Amino acid sequence: MFSKATEYALRAVIYIAQKGSPENKISIEEISGAIGSPRSFTAKILQILRKDNRIIQSVTGPQGGFYMTEQHRKLPVRAILTAMNEDHILSKCVLGLHTCNELKPCPMHASYKKIKEQLIQLFETRTIAQLAHEMDAGTAFIKFLGKKKEKRK
Amino acid sequence: MFSKATEYALRAVIYIAQKGSPENKISIEEISGAIGSPRSFTAKILQILRKDNRIIQSVTGPQGGFYMTEQHRKLPVRAILTAMNEDHILSKCVLGLHTCNELKPCPMHASYKKIKEQLIQLFETRTIAQLAHEMDAGTAFIKFLGKKKEKRK
DNA sequence: ATAAATAAGGACAAAAATATCCTTAATTAC
DNA sequence: GTAATTAAGGATATTTTTGTCCTTATTTAT
Ligand code: FES
Ligand code: FES
């Protein structure tokens, strides 16, 4: 559904929301380790999310790293998609027509419409904080355990 | 949601289902024109869909082209995704975890689960024929009218 | 002030997706 | 059988996405 970049973004933000605070900033190293994403690529994504302090914040230097404020945690998950410039995926036409709407609907539109609305609703109403809390509760996980390129020694 | 290749595949198959028959085969030229897709790329995709006569059929030569049998029209739309090797997108984890399941759910899982089930249901129960009929009824459209690269003269 | 730790950012590399072109094979019309 | 038409298939090109590496800037600790 989403690009890898956005998947990493979602996981990273949830992790930072759960573990990070102004008193306990999280390094890229820790984040990419915890969510199972490539370190440098993750750094790029965090840069995007930090831009204009949209989703996360950061400071350089020793004890530096990434963290979030309560206000940022209250953002809908959709804000992450918007920051990653993939918000349109939620409202896109399944068949790739230029616009998905009632005026020129594709043959899937009628049956897909309801699902689309639920999708948008989901990303719009669930907040980053809510997802982080699921992690706290220990009922959810966030680490990809796929084939991992082992580092040569 | 899907790759461009799969979007073109869905549109092309719906078009062939609607207009094509053993008596009236459709050329690549006509198909790509009708659905607004790049000609040669579309040819590749049609090749894949034709492989082992999975979704469509074809013959070469004059009056040749693509068409479908009634049996093929009865296939669920999901069969197209399977042929394009993107069936997994329907059941994939939103956050990109290796597997989406109850045992190791991601923080989005609980709320996404229902939507996922509806998505699968939709692609599993709707048939290619049904989509083609929506076209017949004139209530649905299939042509992408986006920015088109004008051919230089 | 200096050294160390850390993110920011630019340049580059690799891989995958998208797209085009050209030659070959199959079929049909004559 | 010959020419014309059409898809099949291979090779290649282009663009986008994913990923790495290196240098710079900022902050902290001493
Ligand atoms: S127009 Fe295709 S999904 Fe709405
Ligand atoms: S585990 Fe992530 S959506 Fe099911």
Side-chain angles (χ1 to χ4, degrees):
Chain A
M1 169 158 260
F2 301 115
S3 68
K4 291 219 171 167
T6 294
E7 288 175 355
Y8 297 153
L10 289 164
R11 307 221 294 272
V13 170
I14 293 168
Y15 186 79
I16 296 166
Q18 191 205 2
K19 305 266 188 173
S21 69
E23 298 79 40
N24 182 34
K25 307 186 203 82
I26 323 279
S27 70
I28 293 172
E29 198 63 36
E30 178 178 343
I31 295 167
S32 60
I35 70 174
S37 65
R39 194 200 177 282
S40 295
F41 192 43
T42 306
K44 292 294 186 212
I45 292 162
L46 293 175
Q47 250 178 67
I48 296 169
L49 296 167
R50 194 223 191 273
K51 194 103 189 297
D52 313 314
N53 289 334
R54 281 229 273 180
I55 313 286
I56 58 181
Q57 289 192 263
S58 69
V59 295
T60 58
Q63 308 312 311
F66 296 87
Y67 64 97
M68 289 175 83
T69 64
E70 274 317 304
Q71 208 177 7
H72 281 149
R73 283 197 185 76
K74 283 186 195 136
L75 288 171
V77 182
R78 187 171 192 171
I80 300 169
L81 304 184
T82 304
M84 295 300 293
N85 207 29
E86 284 196 16
D87 184 63
H88 66 280
I89 288 186
L90 295 181
S91 46
K92 211 185 144 187
C93 168
V94 179
L95 302 195
L97 299 193
H98 201 219
T99 58
C100 166
N101 63 40
E102 306 294 320
L103 286 166
K104 277 261 188 174
C106 76
M108 286 290 284
H109 186 83
S111 38
Y112 178 66
K113 188 180 164 188
K114 266 210 164 140
I115 295 177
K116 179 177 112 170
E117 281 165 2
Q118 289 173 64
L119 256 185
I120 293 173
Q121 175 77 0
L122 169 57
F123 281 85
E124 190 61 52
T125 57
R126 294 231 98 196
T127 66
I128 294 167
Q130 284 169 355
L131 300 188
H133 287 151
E134 297 224 23
M135 296 290 296
D136 287 337
T139 54
F141 306 85
I142 207 174
K143 178 153 182 182
F144 178 85
L145 298 161
K147 63 250 158 186
K148 185 114 178 234
K149 271 175 269 179
E150 278 304 322
K151 199 156 232 161
R152 310 235 153 267
K153 50 173 174 174
Chain B
M1 169 160 261
F2 301 115
S3 67
K4 290 212 171 173
T6 293
E7 288 174 356
Y8 297 153
L10 291 164
R11 307 220 295 272
V13 171
I14 294 168
Y15 186 78
I16 296 166
Q18 192 206 2
K19 304 266 190 173
S21 68
E23 298 78 41
N24 183 32
K25 308 187 201 78
I26 322 278
S27 70
I28 293 173
E29 198 62 36
E30 178 178 342
I31 295 166
S32 61
I35 70 174
S37 64
R39 194 201 176 282
S40 295
F41 192 44
T42 306
K44 291 295 187 212
I45 292 162
L46 293 175
Q47 252 178 66
I48 295 170
L49 296 168
R50 194 224 191 271
K51 193 102 189 298
D52 314 314
N53 290 334
R54 283 228 274 180
I55 313 287
I56 59 181
Q57 289 192 263
S58 69
V59 294
T60 56
Q63 309 311 312
F66 296 87
Y67 64 99
M68 289 176 83
T69 63
E70 274 317 302
Q71 209 178 4
H72 281 150
R73 282 197 185 76
K74 282 184 195 137
L75 288 170
V77 183
R78 188 171 190 172
I80 301 170
L81 304 183
T82 305
M84 295 301 293
N85 208 28
E86 283 195 18
D87 184 64
H88 67 279
I89 289 184
L90 295 181
S91 47
K92 211 184 147 189
C93 168
V94 179
L95 302 195
L97 299 194
H98 200 219
T99 58
C100 166
N101 62 42
E102 306 295 319
L103 287 166
K104 277 260 187 174
C106 76
M108 284 292 282
H109 185 84
S111 38
Y112 177 66
K113 188 180 164 187
K114 269 213 164 136
I115 294 176
K116 178 176 111 171
E117 282 164 3
Q118 288 173 66
L119 256 185
I120 293 173
Q121 175 78 0
L122 169 57
F123 281 84
E124 190 61 53
T125 58
R126 293 230 99 197
T127 65
I128 294 167
Q130 285 171 355
L131 300 188
H133 287 149
E134 297 225 22
M135 296 291 295
D136 287 336
T139 54
F141 305 84
I142 207 175
K143 179 153 184 181
F144 178 86
L145 300 161
K147 62 253 160 183
K148 187 113 176 235
K149 272 175 266 177
E150 279 305 322
K151 198 153 234 159
R152 307 235 155 267
K153 49 171 177 177

